[in-house]
């Protein structure tokens, strides 16, 4: 590494403890491979020749990266409100409150934290249709544990070497199989029935683990499957038809009894015969050694999936650990970087199937929930018919096929449910997802340099990336997901990728010693009283996003209407919490690119007033509160080319109004605004000095409860930085 490159690295890694000392920790082969320039003759996604995909097990974003600088973590200034009157970071088990707490490797068994419940009924209950509030009740207090860079240095270094997404969600608010089925096919429920407007039951969908858990060995006598087979096309089926080469690298007898392999739910894989492409590429034993050989010989398929074993899966109480899982990731990275020519043309996606039960604070984008009376809590510009799970069994118990063998041998009769009896906020028709955030690392020569990407994504996003690169169509991906979920291309620089330099990656091979030392320490239990939140301060490079959003208030006769306008290039979900009625399900609004929606709240009396908070992607926030529906109104607009926010004040009343605007990024410079009766007044704010982020609060100059708060980032089409105010208030 040259002295110039060294200085670039140190500048890029400012604030990272021990960055300079870590320069020599990487084996020479990896260090050499990380310096390889991206292949970029066309300066487009067409330069990507290989995509390698690894899905690990059961970690939430907050659990891994809530404390990392420059991401939407524990320093989020806009956490959602709870019915308790507190914010999302203060959860309850029904008896006491819990906040996220550090699993400190020096004092507790951080490497081997307890697993937590992570099935459909407990996840639905903890999510509470967007209300949250009782995560420890349904997920145990262990769910609130998190790590810092001291506990997971490899994971932090990987994120800071390449790109981390802080808006990537699992697709289904449940466990492993349902999410892996989405990951490998684009849907968790029959897409033909969805297109016909039919909400699927468990006969034609996978709400809980069933179809991928197999018995038997390959190749003899072969797998024995549970549940009926799904018939829609998997992504490998789509690639095969299009002539795109693919392979699944796995040990079919050490893939957690099939659970890592989402394609085992499908007829095309269950009936594949030896010699067929599906059997040869998707059912046989292909090892990491095979992967290495194929990379070195330049015979790597265009698309490859890597399946971990149970011990390498990173699953809490797996038995696995971040250290052991990190070492497996290191092995995969070593394999795919062993040939610099191949690596220069390769994208490596590393994500997690679901969050276990581990807490994440960000509200999951989802279709609107149903209120208990059957009305819809929100709206959508996209047809929502078929986008829900029809839990026709309700809260009744029924036989659990996982324990069929035990039952046949006279063992205990085990049962399962799809709905916790305490979960009565809504009926049997439940949104499929999305679920909580999980880590997504985007690792390639086109995504190096320690970026954060904050475009909303989920497990369909990897499929959408494959569509864009290989000119295929994955039929099972729904129109809703295509609108709201990224194809991940915003995380890459295909035009000028060869400027940043990779920071090094710490050693991972000593995971056994770390786990043994961790076993000697007490369990990572929550402290008796909630401690202060922690997140590293500072910013990181942040990719440009396709969002151009507005929410305008339209007061009426004792009612408040909100108008949601999406002028951007991607669909979004707006979440609206009514602070006067936090007992109610929050409303969600899906608004496609170029479209708008409106809805009403009320009736209000002037004594009660109104108080509504709106949440959107990448820190987009609006608050509308007050008790005078005839007060002046404020509308925002952007000059996208200059990074300027404009506020238009409209006074429809009969007397002059004095208002004051405070700026969180320039707190010493409040602005007084006088609005004559019947007039409109405009003011502008230049936001370029703080990365085009803004946070303005408008109030009456004297008295009153009126407030309009507007926060977010102006998307100019250029890359920027993460929110400079993140973590400054904790």
């Amino acid at each position: 590494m040259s002295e110039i490159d060294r200085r670039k690295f140190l500048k890029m890694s400012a604030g990272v403890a021990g960055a300079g000392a870590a320069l020599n920790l990487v084996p020479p082969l990896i260090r050499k491979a990380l310096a390889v320039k991206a292949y970029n003759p066309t300066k487009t996604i067409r330069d990507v020749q290989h995509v390698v995909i690894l899905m690990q097990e059961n970690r939430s974003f907050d659990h891994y990266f809530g404390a990392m600088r420059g991401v939407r973590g524990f320093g989020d200034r806009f956490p959602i409100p709870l019915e308790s009157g507190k914010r999302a970071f203060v959860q309850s088990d029904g008896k006491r409150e819990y906040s996220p707490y550090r699993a400190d490797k020096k004092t507790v068994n951080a490497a081997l934290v307890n697993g937590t419940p992570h099935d459909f009924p407990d996840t639905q209950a903890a999510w509470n249709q967007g209300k949250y509030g009782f995560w420890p009740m349904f997920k145990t207090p262990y769910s609130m544990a998190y790590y810092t860079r001291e506990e997971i240095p490899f994971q932090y270094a990987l994120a800071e070497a390449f790109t981390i997404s802080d808006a990537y969600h699992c697709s289904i608010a449940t466990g492993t199989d349902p999410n892996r089925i989405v990951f490998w096919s684009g849907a968790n429920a029959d897409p033909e029935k969805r297109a016909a407007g039919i909400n699927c039951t468990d006969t034609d969908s996978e709400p809980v683990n069933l179809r991928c858990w197999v018995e038997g060995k390959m190749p003899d006598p072969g797998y024995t499957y549970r549940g009926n087979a799904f018939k829609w096309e998997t992504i490998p089926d789509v690639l095969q038809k299009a002539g795109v080469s693919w392979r699944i690298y796995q040990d079919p007898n050490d893939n957690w009894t099939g659970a890592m392999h989402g394609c085992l739910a499908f007829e095309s894989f269950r009936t594949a015969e030896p010699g067929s492409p599906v059997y040869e590429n998707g059912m046989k034993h292909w090892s990491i050694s095979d992967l290495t050989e194929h990379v070195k010989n330049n015979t790597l398929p265009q698309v490859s999936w890597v399946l971990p074993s149970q011990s390498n899966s990173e699953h809490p109480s797996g038995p696995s650990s971040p250290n052991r899982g990190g070492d497996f990731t290191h092995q995969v990275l070593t394999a795919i970087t062993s040939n610099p020519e191949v690596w220069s043309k390769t994208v490596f996606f590393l994500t997690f199937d679901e969050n276990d039960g581990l807490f994440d604070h960000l509200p999951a984008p989802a279709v609107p929930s149903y209120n208990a009376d059957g009305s819809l809590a929100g709206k959508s510009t996209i047809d929502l018919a078929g986008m829900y799970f029809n839990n026709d069994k309700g809260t009744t118990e029924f036989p659990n096929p996982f324990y069929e063998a035990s039952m046949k041998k006279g063992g205990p009769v085990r049962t399962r449910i799809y709905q916790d009896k305490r979960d009565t906020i809504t009926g049997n028709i439940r949104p499929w997802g999305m679920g909580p955030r999980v880590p997504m690392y985007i690792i390639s020569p086109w995504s190096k340099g320690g970026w954060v990407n904050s475009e909303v994504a989920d497990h369909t996003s990897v499929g959408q990336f494959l569509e864009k690169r290989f000119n295929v169509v994955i039929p099972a991906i729904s129109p809703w997901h295509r609108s709201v979920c990224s194809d991940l291309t915003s995380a890459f620089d295909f035009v000028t990728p060869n400027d940043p330099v990779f920071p090094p990656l710490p050693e991972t091979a000593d995971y056994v010693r770390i786990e043994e030392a961790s076993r000697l320490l007490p369990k990572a239990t929550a402290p008796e009283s909630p401690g202060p939140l922690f997140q590293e301060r500072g910013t990181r490079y942040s990719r440009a996003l396709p969002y151009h959003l507005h929410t305008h208030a339209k007061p009426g006769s004792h009612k408040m209407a909100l108008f949601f306008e999406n002028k951007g290039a991607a669909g979004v979900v707006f979440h609206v919490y009514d602070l006067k009625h936090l007992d109610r399900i929050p409303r969600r609004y899906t608004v496609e690119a170029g479209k708008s929606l409106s809805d009403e709240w009320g009736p209000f009396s002037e004594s009660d007033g109104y108080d509504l908070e709106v949440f959107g992607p990448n820190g987009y926030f609006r608050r509308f509160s007050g008790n005078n529906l005839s007060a002046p109104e404020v509308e925002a607009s952007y000059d996208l080319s200059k990074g300027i926010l404009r506020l238009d004040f409209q006074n429809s009343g009969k007397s002059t109004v004095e208002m004051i605007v405070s700026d969180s990024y320039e707190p010493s410079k409040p602005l007084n605004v006088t609005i004559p009766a019947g007039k409109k007044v405009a003011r502008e704010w230049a936001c370029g000095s703080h990365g085009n982020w803004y946070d303005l609060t408008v109030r009456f100059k004297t008295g009153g409860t009126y407030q309009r708060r507007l926060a977010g980032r102006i998307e100019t089409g250029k890359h920027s930085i993460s929110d400079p105010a993140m973590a400054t208030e904790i």
Side-chain angles (χ1 to χ4, degrees):
M1 184 178 286
S2 70
E3 186 57 35
I4 293 175
D5 287 344
R6 184 183 297 268
R7 287 198 298 269
K8 284 184 180 178
F9 159 70
L10 291 173
K11 180 180 179 181
M12 183 171 56
S13 302
V16 180
L23 282 168
N24 297 315
L25 292 179
V26 185
L29 175 64
I30 299 295
R31 199 183 321 165
K32 179 181 178 182
L34 291 177
V36 170
K37 291 186 176 181
Y39 178 73
N40 108 305
T42 73
K43 302 185 185 304
T44 70
I45 193 175
R46 305 297 299 175
D47 294 329
V48 177
Q49 304 299 304
H50 308 281
V51 180
V52 179
I53 305 160
L54 170 61
M55 176 177 271
Q56 293 285 76
E57 280 284 296
N58 293 42
R59 303 284 176 170
S60 78
F61 185 86
D62 274 350
H63 170 65
Y64 260 18
F65 294 117
M68 187 170 75
R69 67 183 175 90
V71 300
R72 195 151 299 279
F74 299 135
D76 191 344
R77 295 180 303 126
F78 302 106
I80 61 171
L82 305 178
E83 189 172 355
S84 65
K86 300 184 179 180
R87 294 283 166 166
F89 293 118
V90 183
Q91 298 284 315
S92 172
D93 68 355
K95 297 178 181 178
R96 52 168 286 200
E97 293 179 333
Y98 298 84
S99 289
Y101 65 94
R102 178 184 174 187
D104 188 334
K105 71 173 187 177
K106 296 185 290 293
T107 58
V108 298
N109 67 336
L112 302 166
V113 294
N114 278 37
T116 54
H118 49 279
D119 215 337
F120 191 81
D122 54 82
T123 306
Q124 282 283 308
W127 176 49
N128 206 11
Q129 306 306 303
K131 286 180 59 178
Y132 294 79
F134 294 95
W135 206 271
M137 175 184 290
F138 297 101
K139 300 291 192 178
T140 79
Y142 291 115
S143 65
M144 305 301 289
Y146 72 86
Y147 295 129
T148 70
R149 67 174 62 248
E150 290 187 47
E151 285 75 42
I152 50 171
F154 177 77
Q155 284 79 2
Y156 266 67
L158 201 59
E160 289 168 336
F162 299 96
T163 295
I164 189 74
S165 169
D166 66 353
Y168 186 98
H169 295 254
C170 63
S171 293
I172 311 291
T174 179
T176 290
D177 278 15
N179 279 288
R180 288 182 179 263
I181 287 169
V182 175
F183 196 60
W184 258 278
S185 76
N188 179 61
D190 187 336
E192 290 189 3
K193 289 194 172 182
R194 181 194 67 225
I198 300 171
N199 294 321
C200 290
T201 68
D202 61 354
T203 301
D204 32 43
S205 68
E206 181 94 342
V208 299
N209 291 342
L210 175 64
R211 290 172 173 87
C212 298
W213 294 79
V214 299
E215 294 179 341
K217 290 186 175 294
M218 296 293 288
D220 184 30
Y223 288 153
T224 300
Y225 299 98
R226 294 184 173 93
N228 59 303
F230 294 144
K231 297 181 185 297
W232 64 90
E233 287 185 322
T234 67
I235 294 176
D237 293 324
V238 171
L239 297 177
Q240 186 65 40
K241 284 185 177 180
V244 178
S245 59
W246 64 276
R247 182 167 295 123
I248 298 175
Y249 290 87
Q250 62 160 336
D251 180 345
N253 297 313
D254 192 11
N255 58 6
W256 207 331
T257 61
M260 302 298 93
H261 194 335
C263 291
L264 298 183
F266 291 85
E267 186 175 81
S268 62
F269 275 72
R270 291 185 175 189
T271 60
E273 296 290 339
S276 69
V278 166
Y279 188 93
E280 296 301 316
N281 292 318
M283 302 293 280
K284 289 180 64 174
H285 189 168
W286 296 97
S287 67
I288 298 298
S289 296
D290 293 324
L291 176 64
T292 304
E293 181 182 352
H294 296 158
V295 171
K296 288 182 176 179
N297 295 338
N298 204 1
T299 57
L300 183 68
Q302 290 167 285
V303 181
S304 304
W305 288 269
V306 181
L307 304 190
S309 65
Q310 179 176 349
S311 62
N312 288 327
S313 68
E314 227 156 316
H315 192 294
S317 302
S320 192
S321 70
N323 315 92
R324 190 179 295 261
D327 186 68
F328 182 69
T329 299
H330 195 284
Q331 293 175 43
V332 175
L333 265 175
T334 301
I336 63 178
T337 59
S338 60
N339 182 337
E341 180 185 356
V342 172
W343 171 241
S344 74
K345 305 173 182 179
T346 299
V347 167
F348 178 33
F349 291 118
L350 168 59
T351 188
F352 292 74
D353 56 357
E354 35 102 354
N355 62 303
D356 202 80
L358 296 162
F359 176 73
D360 187 80
H361 80 280
L362 210 65
V367 299
S369 297
Y370 282 94
N371 294 308
D373 64 4
S375 61
L376 201 61
K379 296 181 179 180
S380 172
T381 61
I382 300 175
D383 185 3
L384 300 178
M387 291 295 295
Y388 298 81
F389 171 50
N390 178 6
N391 176 21
D392 58 346
K393 295 181 175 63
T395 59
T396 61
E397 297 182 354
F398 56 97
N400 189 333
F402 275 115
Y403 300 99
E404 287 171 352
S406 172
M407 292 162 63
K408 289 176 182 176
K409 295 178 181 178
V413 176
R414 307 289 184 98
T415 59
R416 63 169 54 187
I417 60 170
Y418 289 147
Q419 186 175 327
D420 191 297
K421 291 181 179 179
R422 297 167 291 179
D423 179 11
T424 58
I425 191 172
T426 186
N428 296 344
I429 306 299
R430 301 292 178 111
W432 276 123
M434 305 174 199
R437 290 183 302 170
V438 294
M440 161 58 94
Y441 312 80
I442 301 162
I443 303 166
S444 78
W446 301 276
S447 55
K448 58 190 176 184
W451 293 81
V452 61
N453 181 260
S454 299
E455 187 176 359
V456 172
D458 84 326
H459 293 330
T460 69
S461 296
V462 175
Q464 292 185 66
F465 182 89
L466 297 178
E467 286 184 325
K468 190 148 193 177
R469 169 56 188 90
F470 297 110
N471 195 28
V472 298
V473 175
I474 301 167
I477 299 176
S478 76
W480 186 87
H481 286 89
R482 291 189 184 282
S483 173
V484 172
C485 300
S486 162
D487 62 13
L488 300 176
T489 54
S490 63
F492 296 88
D493 179 1
F494 292 118
V495 179
T496 57
N498 293 317
D499 184 34
V501 176
F502 291 98
L505 301 177
E507 188 59 72
T508 61
D510 61 344
Y511 61 84
V512 173
R513 178 190 61 80
I514 294 172
E515 290 180 359
E516 289 302 322
S518 188
R519 284 191 179 91
L520 301 177
L521 296 172
K523 287 186 177 181
T525 55
E528 287 300 316
S529 58
L533 293 169
F534 168 75
Q535 184 177 0
E536 302 166 342
R537 295 191 179 187
T539 60
R540 64 193 325 103
Y541 301 135
S542 176
R543 292 294 187 193
L545 302 176
Y547 300 128
H548 181 180
L549 309 176
H550 294 290
T551 309
H552 308 303
K554 305 287 185 181
S557 177
H558 300 288
K559 290 186 178 182
M560 174 62 75
L562 294 184
F563 182 75
F564 306 98
E565 189 176 19
N566 183 358
K567 294 184 176 181
V572 298
V573 174
F574 295 93
H575 309 250
V576 184
Y577 288 76
D578 184 346
L579 275 73
K580 297 291 185 177
H581 298 283
L582 287 171
D583 57 315
R584 298 175 183 172
I585 293 174
R587 301 189 200 178
R588 289 187 294 276
Y589 298 86
T590 299
V591 185
E592 295 164 274
K595 295 189 178 182
S596 60
L597 276 178
S598 63
D599 208 353
E600 286 188 336
W601 282 257
F604 302 113
S605 66
E606 290 204 6
S607 59
D608 293 333
Y610 59 92
D611 199 350
L612 304 172
E613 291 187 344
V614 182
F615 299 81
N618 196 33
Y620 177 91
F621 177 80
R622 298 290 188 267
R623 184 172 185 179
F624 304 91
S625 62
N627 58 3
N628 185 349
L629 291 170
S630 62
E633 204 44 72
V634 182
E635 286 196 6
S637 59
Y638 309 128
D639 184 329
L640 300 181
S641 64
K642 298 178 181 178
I644 290 176
L645 174 69
R646 173 187 168 117
L647 294 186
D648 287 299
F649 301 83
Q650 176 70 54
N651 182 3
S652 301
K654 297 181 179 180
S655 58
T656 296
V657 175
E658 298 284 336
M659 311 197 82
I660 187 167
V661 183
S662 56
D663 184 346
S664 293
Y665 294 96
E666 301 284 347
S668 62
K669 300 177 182 179
L671 179 69
N672 294 315
V673 181
T674 300
I675 315 166
K679 300 293 183 179
K680 179 184 287 188
V681 174
R683 295 289 185 271
E684 292 184 344
W685 280 260
C687 305
S689 61
H690 28 83
N692 297 321
W693 291 88
Y694 62 90
D695 183 2
L696 303 177
T697 301
V698 182
R699 296 184 177 91
F700 288 132
K701 191 171 183 180
T702 57
T705 61
Y706 179 94
Q707 182 186 128
R708 299 290 185 265
R709 188 171 182 181
L710 308 94
R713 189 174 79 176
I714 302 172
E715 293 298 338
T716 64
K718 297 179 180 179
H719 304 311
S720 183
I721 58 172
S722 59
D723 186 355
M726 186 74 70
T728 59
E729 298 178 4
I730 59 173

